[in-house]
Amino acid sequence: MSDTAINTDQLPDSHGHFGTFGGMFVPETLMEALKELSQEYEKAKNDPGFQSELDHLLHDYVGRETPLYFAEGLTKKAGGAKIYLKREDLLHTGAHKINNALGQILLAKRLGKKRIIAETGAGQHGVATATVAARFGMECVVYMGAVDMERQHLNVVRMRLLGAEVRAVHAGQATLKEAVNEAMRDWVTHVRSTHYILGSALGSHPYPMMVRDFHRVIGLEARRQILEREKRLPDLLIACVGGGSNAMGLFHPFLNDPSVRMLGVEAGGRGIKDGEHAARFQGGKLGVLQGTKTWLLADDDGQIQLTHSVSAGLDYAAVGPEHAYLKDIGRVEYTYATDDEALEGFQVLSKIEGIIPALESSHAIAQTLKSAAGMAKDRIIICNLSGRGDKDVEQAAKFIFGDSE
Amino acid sequence: MSNRIDQVFSQLRSENKTAFVAYVAAGDPDMPRSLEVVRALERAGADIIELGVAFSDPLADGPVNQMAAQRALDAGATLAGTLDLVRELRKTGSETPIVFFTYLNPVYVYGFSRFHQDAAAAGVDGVLFLDLPPEESQWNEELKETDELCHIRLIAPTSPDERIEAIAKTSEGFIYYVCREGVTGAQTDLADDIDEQVANIQKHTEIPVVVGFGISTPDQAQSVAQSSDGVVVGSAIVRCVEQYGEQADLAEQVEALVKPLVDAVKSV
């Protein structure tokens, strides 16, 4: 074993720390609910009944397993390493988010909660949550920034059709961070009746661990699939990182494979200048936001800075604490793709592979093209195609064709 | 170590009186006027003043305090500027205990131990972090509490007994009982179990128990004063600052609002 080997069963510690990162930085009112959630999650994890219900629903309702697709056209275009796409975009509701939403609503049921709340940026997590809430007959309220409601309008309609109430958040820059604030306020107020389905590997313990665990199925499948196909492990994994749930899901089962490199792609927006991007590892600092200690974008007075990304799902000021840890120990590398690069990736994949990716996932596609070009033809990359782009077609059309409608 | 908070409570206890604690957002509508507001609170008879440190993401606050933080930030409020406000106040001989009511991140970025030193030197007496449970101070080396400031802890209606006991043990100055599940902000009805909850906390500690969140009228203040060691009024004062912030008589308006609240608490 190399010295970067990680015992995946031991992180985080029982208080949610990944090294110095993570933890439980929340108002006192929530401490007990979070402890209760941690305990119930531990019980559920060891309950074969819970696991089999989850597996059954993931298979029949969500559509797992997802294919590991050899993207021949993309491979040819890059002219280097073989590119495989993990097709989370084919899941019910169109993105990886439902793996976690489903796991958490089963937990909510065990906890006896009747009401579900969630935050959403791109709307994918909101749609996934509204979907499972409908499936289990629970009341559902989704908080969404007013700016995001406009740029991801299709998902707002979907949530409403699914019976969820979508509440617009107008504070601040009216995107994902403000939606999380508002969901936390709701939770503090209705903590006894309500479960908060947090949508990324973020926030207070146990969320970063729990959300990661519910998405580990991505990496577990990919690992088995690539071993079947290629009889060997991949050389590089690539995923986009907003909070970082799809990346944690893909990376985690490979952490103890020292030959596998991993690359997380943050949103570079219009470039790495204050307020123009959401790349926390570029010019961010260590701080505490929304329940967790991690890398975030803040000014010298500790105020959270504005962020920008063409993709609502990556437009967020803090990164999941486990990513901060994995960067710190050097196990995972992080880079960024700009809006323009992501839009280019969006078009390339659409035209060459006939797959329209989500703008979030397009950041990973853009980096995959770059990385593959510099690698030998016998090398293998797995890129997590975390979501499909149906929700983004209007936005993309505006940028690509200059549609003003 | 004798500090202003302990002195105030020991004085009040000898008189068999309850403390009136006033909260305002520091720097709202700007720092100079905020200083006038703080002086008005003193004149009205506040025993302790809590200064809210402006933060961009106040997730435990309701709309009134959110907007106050935003006004303060728009006017350039910072943690360093809030320390200056306290320095100004102390220059004129004020001895009212000052507690900073803050989210962790501004202090984290300022430097936790540097903040303790600078705040104590400026004349701050205590600090209450909304999003720093006492456990994290023990688990994170850089968040080790030093004894320059009183560390005031929150207890919530959802805190179980064993947690109340643990929190009470490490509390300094006073305990802040959040009497409602929710965010800050005025409420028409208060929880009906406040006296039981306070009595339960008092079983675990000798430290004064102060009650806040949602108390805005003299009647409410008086009722809570009967069963606690102190009453916090926040949003009602913040709303007054919002309403009269641009007017010359801001300080008079604040004083006029707070005086009856103080009287209600002192009538018990």
Side-chain angles (χ1 to χ4, degrees):
Chain A
M1 282 255 164
S2 88
D3 54 6
T4 59
I6 291 163
N7 186 335
T8 54
D9 298 330
Q10 282 182 6
L11 282 177
D13 69 15
S14 59
H15 310 302
H17 299 112
F18 303 89
T20 188
F21 308 100
M24 301 178 81
F25 294 90
V26 293
E28 175 60 25
T29 307
L30 295 179
M31 285 299 282
E32 193 54 21
L34 288 164
K35 285 189 177 159
E36 191 190 10
L37 180 59
S38 295
Q39 284 161 6
E40 196 58 38
Y41 175 62
E42 287 308 316
K43 273 194 249 165
K45 225 168 41 173
N46 298 314
D47 175 356
F50 178 84
Q51 201 56 54
S52 80
E53 186 178 9
L54 180 59
D55 288 347
H56 163 76
L57 285 164
L58 283 174
H59 184 271
D60 287 3
Y61 185 66
V62 172
R64 299 211 75 93
E65 67 180 44
T66 59
L68 183 69
Y69 166 68
F70 173 53
E72 209 177 337
L74 204 62
T75 300
K76 229 168 119 188
K77 161 103 182 161
K82 289 173 88 168
I83 299 169
Y84 282 88
L85 301 176
K86 182 60 176 161
R87 298 292 309 274
E88 294 297 294
D89 63 312
L90 292 175
L91 288 178
H92 180 40
T93 70
H96 71 291
K97 294 289 186 190
I98 195 155
N99 299 324
N100 167 55
L102 183 62
Q104 282 201 45
I105 204 155
L106 291 178
L107 269 181
K109 213 172 70 170
R110 287 175 68 108
L111 287 162
K113 307 280 173 154
K114 305 268 182 265
R115 181 173 175 268
I116 296 296
I117 56 168
E119 84 296 338
T120 198
Q124 288 304 117
H125 174 60
V127 167
T129 302
T131 298
V132 296
R135 168 69 179 70
F136 287 92
M138 291 200 206
E139 183 191 346
C140 179
V141 174
V142 179
Y143 292 93
M144 188 168 188
V147 167
D148 289 341
M149 284 178 74
E150 200 174 309
R151 58 178 167 170
Q152 307 277 229
H153 179 68
L154 179 70
N155 277 342
V156 176
V157 177
R158 291 169 79 195
M159 287 184 268
R160 286 177 175 155
L161 284 171
L162 290 159
E165 181 191 341
V166 183
R167 291 191 189 160
V169 182
H170 297 278
Q173 66 178 124
T175 57
L176 179 56
K177 174 169 67 75
E178 289 77 20
V180 174
N181 286 338
E182 212 50 44
M184 298 275 285
R185 290 181 188 121
D186 181 313
W187 203 30
V188 169
T189 310
H190 303 106
V191 60
R192 291 178 204 260
S193 67
T194 299
H195 175 65
Y196 177 16
I197 302 192
L198 191 81
S200 195
L202 273 171
S204 168
H205 180 65
Y207 285 103
M209 168 185 77
M210 193 169 70
V211 175
R212 171 201 76 196
D213 290 352
F214 286 132
H215 286 303
R216 281 187 87 229
V217 64
I218 303 170
L220 290 170
E221 284 178 8
R223 198 170 189 284
R224 180 165 38 74
Q225 289 166 319
I226 199 74
L227 287 172
E228 272 166 25
R229 274 292 281 273
E230 295 280 353
K231 313 287 180 235
R232 71 177 190 85
L233 289 168
D235 300 286
L236 179 63
L237 306 176
I238 296 178
C240 64
V241 178
S245 66
N246 90 81
M248 279 318 309
L250 176 65
F251 294 170
H252 200 260
F254 292 92
L255 287 176
N256 286 330
D257 299 311
S259 69
V260 181
R261 278 180 58 217
M262 302 176 195
L263 187 53
V265 187
E266 296 185 285
R270 291 183 282 253
I272 306 302
K273 280 169 285 185
D274 283 359
E276 298 289 319
H277 69 101
R280 290 66 45 104
F281 291 129
Q282 316 285 331
K285 44 170 75 75
L286 190 56
V288 173
L289 181 66
Q290 295 173 337
T292 195
K293 183 166 113 186
T294 188
W295 279 89
L296 45 80
L297 295 169
D299 67 19
D300 291 339
D301 296 314
Q303 307 300 336
I304 306 305
Q305 287 175 316
L306 300 181
T307 53
H308 164 79
S309 170
V310 67
S311 64
L314 305 184
D315 197 351
Y316 181 72
V319 69
E322 193 165 10
H323 285 290
Y325 172 74
L326 292 170
K327 172 162 196 301
D328 204 40
I329 63 166
R331 181 65 187 92
V332 179
E333 298 158 62
Y334 293 85
T335 182
Y336 62 92
T338 63
D339 286 354
D340 288 346
E341 290 168 328
L343 284 163
E344 176 67 18
F346 180 89
Q347 293 175 84
V348 167
L349 196 69
S350 300
K351 286 187 182 149
I352 292 186
E353 293 288 350
I355 300 171
I356 301 176
L359 283 173
E360 290 76 18
S361 321
S362 299
H363 288 71
I365 297 294
Q367 181 58 43
T368 298
L369 282 162
K370 261 195 227 174
S371 293
M375 290 164 72
K377 290 196 164 105
D378 62 347
R379 305 278 102 177
I380 299 168
I381 296 176
I382 297 178
C383 170
N384 200 10
L385 188 54
S386 54
R388 59 178 176 245
D390 305 32
K391 68 184 177 63
D392 294 315
V393 290
E394 281 180 38
Q395 274 288 305
K398 239 193 336 203
F399 288 106
I400 296 163
F401 309 121
D403 280 9
S404 53
E405 286 160 40
Chain B
M1 181 185 87
S2 172
N3 63 65
R4 294 185 190 92
I5 298 172
D6 293 345
Q7 283 163 15
V8 159
F9 277 109
S10 91
Q11 176 71 28
L12 288 168
R13 274 190 176 173
S14 73
E15 297 164 2
N16 208 13
K17 290 286 178 200
T18 305
F20 180 81
V21 182
Y23 168 93
V24 282
D28 173 28
D30 56 35
M31 280 298 171
R33 306 216 77 195
S34 197
L35 183 59
E36 289 173 31
V37 168
V38 171
R39 292 204 162 112
L41 295 173
E42 286 191 305
R43 282 197 302 276
D47 298 298
I48 296 173
I49 295 170
E50 288 182 353
L51 288 179
V53 176
F55 182 48
S56 53
D57 291 86
L59 58 77
D61 282 298
V64 171
N65 285 347
Q66 288 174 45
M67 286 188 293
Q70 195 54 54
R71 286 193 300 274
L73 287 172
D74 290 346
T78 60
L79 178 57
T82 309
L83 291 172
D84 286 339
L85 180 139
V86 178
R87 284 185 196 104
E88 283 299 313
L89 185 71
R90 294 293 183 223
K91 258 191 217 164
T92 49
S94 160
E95 287 297 318
T96 309
I98 299 285
V99 173
F100 273 21
F101 191 88
T102 186
Y103 293 86
L104 180 55
N105 201 55
V107 172
Y108 196 93
V109 170
Y110 188 91
F112 197 77
S113 76
R114 180 182 157 221
F115 164 74
H116 276 70
Q117 289 157 18
D118 291 359
V124 177
D125 303 285
V127 60
L128 189 161
F129 292 103
L130 281 153
D131 55 354
L132 175 61
E135 296 93 321
E136 291 291 354
S137 267
Q138 293 157 25
W139 295 329
N140 291 274
E141 194 55 40
E142 78 278 26
L143 296 175
K144 275 239 158 14
E145 291 172 348
T146 54
D147 57 14
E148 289 114 328
L149 298 175
C150 286
H151 295 90
I152 291 142
R153 314 277 189 215
L154 295 166
I155 289 179
T158 50
S159 309
D161 266 353
E162 67 269 21
R163 205 172 154 75
I164 292 175
E165 202 181 330
I167 293 173
K169 257 190 207 135
T170 63
S171 285
E172 297 160 344
F174 60 90
I175 286 169
Y176 191 128
Y177 175 62
V178 174
C179 63
R180 178 163 54 89
E181 289 155 39
V183 293
T184 58
Q187 292 289 302
T188 33
D189 296 312
L190 293 180
D192 48 21
D193 64 345
I194 293 176
D195 45 350
E196 287 163 45
Q197 295 272 14
V198 171
N200 184 42
I201 297 168
Q202 283 168 337
K203 274 194 293 194
H204 299 284
T205 180
E206 293 287 302
I207 290 182
V209 178
V210 165
V211 178
F213 270 44
I215 303 163
S216 61
T217 67
D219 281 354
Q220 289 172 333
Q222 187 182 24
S223 135
V224 174
Q226 282 163 358
S227 54
S228 68
D229 302 305
V231 177
V232 188
V233 175
S235 297
I237 304 173
V238 172
R239 222 170 24 215
C240 180
V241 176
E242 176 182 3
Q243 195 177 348
Y244 299 102
E246 300 303 316
Q247 296 184 21
D249 63 345
L250 169 63
E252 287 78 10
Q253 293 288 354
V254 169
E255 197 177 338
L257 174 87
V258 174
K259 191 79 183 52
L261 289 161
V262 173
D263 291 344
V265 168
K266 299 299 172 185
S267 72
V268 174

